[in-house]
Amino acid sequence: MQKISLGLGMTLLVVGNIIAVFSDAIIKTLPADSPTFQFVFMRQLTAVLILIPFCISRGKTQLFVGLKWHAVRAHVWLFGIVFMVFALQALPLATANAIFYAAPLLMLPLAVMIFGEKLSVPSVAVAVIGFIGVLIVIQPSDINWAAIFAFVVAITLAINNVLIRKLPTHHTILQTLLLTNLVGMPMGLALALWENAPWHWAALVTALASTVFILIYAGICVYVYTRVAANQVASAEYSGLVAAVALGMLWFNEVPTLSLIVGASLIILPLVWLAKLQKNNQRLAKRQFAEAKSIEP
């Protein structure tokens, strides 16, 4: 597979994260009285309709093999999208996104519990500092259910990311995205029917737009991460928070608070530092290996 430069990879990820923020912004435009479960089901439906042609063309004989973990992730994702809608409708765009970025921090203890991984001292330090940042953004002294909903979203994102390692390796990213939406549709439809609200088909356009943006972001990630080492460009992902601040100011007249700036900095900057530290350690290990090979008789 053809490689691309680090500069191009990071540029594409920055563009992808800006596009992903538009997906969140579109959700935020939903009227407050919109049926939430209906909208979530419409997102599932539009994603499946978009992805099916690409996945069927690759062959469907192995598509439903190893469906168990897809089913687990599908329902965790469904749960997360519901709370994402609640959070985005109630919180400033940048605040919600700052809390969503707690997902990489939560992945650390989850990896320990599920896979028995060992945490390094830098990883623990980053997790502690990041959690302090989350508390500053949430401000638990003033109970804010919307912020708690956003934190629930971060938990679901972390669980889904960790469980990727349980998925069948023969599935492509597009097939995984398809199954994540398709397998969760029966529950999504059941929740929409239980909601017992008149069907707002106008929301289908909003759901389609949100889905298109998030799928473009996913496609960019697939393109970049299959051509560049993830640890070399992943820090570009955090540009999404900057985009959320800018879009919140321009579209929704939201002014970032000092607590948001401080808390988000404590979440993002340690993660960027950890990514660079890991990259330097890998570079050093490769150099030491090369030197060892060069002196072998």
Side-chain angles (χ1 to χ4, degrees), residues 207-236:
L208 175 62
S210 175
T211 299
V212 168
F213 279 120
I214 207 65
L215 290 180
I216 291 174
Y217 162 71
I220 289 175
C221 287
V222 173
Y223 179 81
V224 173
Y225 287 129
T226 54
R227 289 165 173 80
V228 183
N231 62 352
Q232 294 180 320
V233 294
S235 58

Side-chain angles (χ1 to χ4, degrees), residues 55-113:
C55 296
I56 295 300
S57 63
R58 288 178 170 269
K60 57 184 179 179
T61 55
Q62 299 292 318
L63 184 60
F64 295 104
V65 174
L67 200 60
K68 178 178 70 172
W69 289 110
H70 282 294
V72 173
R73 292 184 72 255
H75 291 89
V76 171
W77 178 246
L78 171 63
F79 187 71
I81 288 294
V82 170
F83 279 89
M84 182 180 288
V85 174
F86 289 146
L88 287 171
Q89 287 182 323
L91 289 174
L93 188 63
T95 301
N97 273 269
I99 302 173
F100 296 163
Y101 275 111
L105 305 173
L106 297 171
M107 288 171 62
L108 299 175
L110 285 172
V112 173
M113 291 186 290

Side-chain angles (χ1 to χ4, degrees), residues 40 45 48 71 81 90 99 133 177 184 187 190-191 197 205 262 264 266 278 295:
V40 172
L45 177 62
V48 168
I81 288 294
I99 302 173
L177 291 172
M187 178 60 72
L191 289 172
V205 177
V262 173
L266 291 176
Q278 291 173 338
I295 62 176

Side-chain angles (χ1 to χ4, degrees), residues 10 13-14 16-18 20-21 101 217 220-221 224-225 230 233-242 268 272:
M10 296 192 77
L13 284 179
V14 169
N17 275 272
I18 293 173
V21 172
Y101 275 111
Y217 162 71
I220 289 175
C221 287
V224 173
Y225 287 129
V233 294
S235 58
E237 293 271 9
Y238 302 116
S239 60
L241 184 54
V242 178
I268 302 303
V272 174

Side-chain angles (χ1 to χ4, degrees), residues 117 235 254:
E117 292 185 359
S235 58
E254 299 169 351

